[in-house]
Amino acid sequence: MSIEPPHQLPGTGSLFTLDPAVAHLNHGSYGAVPLPVQRVQARLRAEQELDPDGFFHELPDRIARARARITTALGGRADRLALVTNVTEGIAVVLDSLPLAAGEEVLVTDHGYGVVTRAAERRAAECGARVRTVRLSVHTPDQKAVRERILAAVDDRTRVAVLDLVSSPTARQIADPVLLAELGARGVITVVDAAHAPGMLPVDLGEQAGGADFWIGNLHKWAFAPRAGAVLAVHGAWRSRVRPLMFSWEHDRGFPGRVEWRGTCDYTPWLAAPAGFGLLEQLGVERVRVHNEALAAYGQQQLVERAGLRELPSMPGLAMRAVRLPPGCAESEHTAKAMMVAIRRRLATRVAIRPWSGGGVLRISAQVYNRPEEYRALAAGIGELIGGR
């Protein structure tokens, strides 16, 4: 069935300062900060330079107020959530706080973000534990099959599971509420990499951290916040056990202040983050989600029909879609990066490509600044590029 592209949302035409000569189809990696939010951050930086002493003296309280406004958008309570720079840092904080013993295992999947898996491997090695990787075919048909595969790998040695809510390379759901509940019932500590959730998917952290023991989501991807900002939600008794990566003068105030404060850093992304959520609300959160999901689906269809690439499974609500490249194409880190460079140079387009045995995975994103013709041009051009490799 042919997918019709959505119409551009009113009021979005001049929101961004992106280079118009490039099709930016990779919002899921670094995001793009809207101009109104850029201005808020610029004012904060100017204020900081007028009186640095006063600015830093007031910062802990201002961060707490910003966190409270962010929490309103994400559900839950402000004292159960800490601000960090990104998911990678949040994962590092969590792993450093968890008790791991020799012989125990940390469960991950091969769809996980690479440096998160490496962080788990380092922490496990320090404790005499090990990382166990569950391999999921990129063509695994549905969420039930994903759950069954992961639960089959759990045994009495499984202490922690670090799982993506939405996988970065393949744009599909891994950690759904049913899986998290099953893992929790088996005594497994659950850590959710929710890098793509805030702003793209409905989030209600509620009484528990998104159904997990720890839940970490980026704000600079889909929530229109400046880089770098993310939230770390912690459930129950774990909050008193979370320790920051460094000591600070806020350490004795406990969670979340002890995690957030790191001296003379740039805190303006956190202070400006509520403006990103405010812009989303102004545009209409649901309208943006529906638009972006439809545009991503349209882009994926173009790549399937025009370029002959294979569609990969997706979940409802996502503004990202993935397709499989032909065998022998982008199967290594080097060749995947080379293909991204070639697409940028020859097609003036930014996409994400991750290496995968049997053919790399190409991921596209959709945001309100994207246009249907950008996906059509990519689909037309990449067919020629792959054919001539």
Side-chain angles (χ1 to χ4, degrees):
M1 184 176 68
S2 180
I3 299 173
E4 290 298 319
H7 296 293
Q8 182 181 359
L9 291 181
T12 60
S14 59
L15 278 180
F16 297 87
T17 56
L18 292 163
D19 182 354
V22 177
H24 300 270
L25 306 185
N26 189 26
H27 188 90
S29 284
Y30 302 104
V33 185
L35 187 56
V37 182
Q38 291 183 39
R39 289 170 177 156
V40 170
Q41 186 180 25
R43 288 196 296 269
L44 287 164
R45 284 177 167 159
E47 178 190 346
Q48 178 176 240
E49 296 312 319
L50 287 173
D51 181 10
D53 281 37
F55 189 85
F56 277 90
H57 178 75
E58 296 174 359
L59 258 176
D61 290 337
R62 293 182 70 170
I63 290 170
R65 291 195 295 271
R67 185 190 337 110
R69 291 195 290 273
I70 292 166
T71 302
T72 299
L74 299 178
R77 283 175 28 185
D79 61 345
R80 299 174 179 177
L81 183 150
L83 296 173
V84 291
T85 57
N86 52 41
V87 166
T88 306
E89 182 195 358
I91 292 284
V93 169
V94 171
L95 290 172
D96 194 53
S97 303
L98 291 180
L100 274 177
E104 293 182 329
E105 291 185 345
V106 179
L107 198 69
V108 301
T109 78
D110 59 348
H111 290 238
Y113 193 60
V115 294
V116 169
T117 298
R118 292 180 67 181
E121 290 170 344
R122 184 176 73 173
R123 175 63 175 158
E126 291 170 348
C127 302
R130 65 186 293 267
V131 168
R132 185 179 211 186
T133 301
V134 179
R135 304 206 174 275
L136 300 169
S137 167
V138 292
H139 302 290
T140 302
D142 54 34
Q143 193 56 27
K144 183 174 181 289
V146 170
R147 286 197 300 270
E148 290 174 349
R149 179 73 173 150
I150 292 172
L151 290 173
V154 176
D155 58 28
D156 57 4
R157 295 168 297 180
T158 310
R159 178 65 166 156
V160 181
V162 181
L163 302 171
D164 296 74
L165 180 60
V166 177
S167 62
S168 178
T170 53
R172 69 173 302 161
Q173 186 176 23
I174 304 292
D176 68 6
V178 177
L179 175 58
L180 293 174
E182 282 280 352
L183 290 169
R186 300 184 189 195
V188 178
I189 301 166
T190 49
V191 183
V192 172
D193 177 344
H196 295 280
M200 180 168 66
L201 298 173
V203 174
D204 184 4
L205 297 180
E207 289 300 310
Q208 194 171 351
D213 293 295
F214 302 91
W215 188 102
I216 312 100
N218 283 324
L219 302 178
H220 65 266
K221 293 180 183 287
W222 303 97
F224 287 159
R227 302 168 210 93
V231 297
L232 163 62
V234 182
H235 179 55
W238 288 113
R239 286 189 287 276
S240 64
R241 302 174 66 174
V242 170
R243 64 181 202 172
L245 299 179
M246 66 184 82
F247 268 93
S248 74
W249 293 114
E250 294 292 306
H251 189 85
D252 293 338
R253 292 180 65 174
F255 184 90
R258 66 165 53 167
V259 174
E260 293 173 335
W261 192 252
R262 66 281 306 279
T264 50
C265 289
D266 183 6
Y267 299 91
T268 60
W270 299 354
L271 300 183
F277 281 106
L279 178 60
L280 263 180
E281 292 170 4
Q282 179 184 330
L283 294 173
V285 176
E286 191 59 27
R287 290 173 67 209
V288 170
R289 287 175 181 158
V290 169
H291 172 276
N292 291 348
E293 179 185 10
L295 189 55
Y298 175 79
Q300 183 186 51
Q301 186 179 73
Q302 294 302 303
L303 288 166
V304 170
E305 294 183 351
R306 292 174 178 249
L309 303 180
R310 186 174 179 184
E311 175 182 339
L312 293 183
S314 62
M315 65 173 283
L318 284 193
M320 302 189 299
R321 295 294 180 99
V323 293
R324 191 79 185 271
L325 295 170
C329 184
E331 293 191 5
S332 68
E333 192 75 34
H334 172 74
T335 54
K337 288 182 178 179
M339 175 158 282
M340 284 193 291
V341 170
I343 291 172
R344 166 64 183 90
R345 289 177 177 172
R346 295 171 60 176
L347 306 180
T349 301
R350 295 285 190 189
V351 296
I353 299 177
R354 295 302 303 155
W356 214 276
S357 178
V361 174
L362 184 151
R363 188 196 74 194
I364 55 171
S365 300
Q367 188 49 279
V368 294
Y369 55 76
N370 291 126
R371 304 291 175 264
E373 56 268 25
E374 295 175 324
Y375 301 94
R376 293 195 293 268
L378 171 64
I382 199 170
E384 297 176 5
L385 193 153
I386 292 173
R389 75 181 192 278

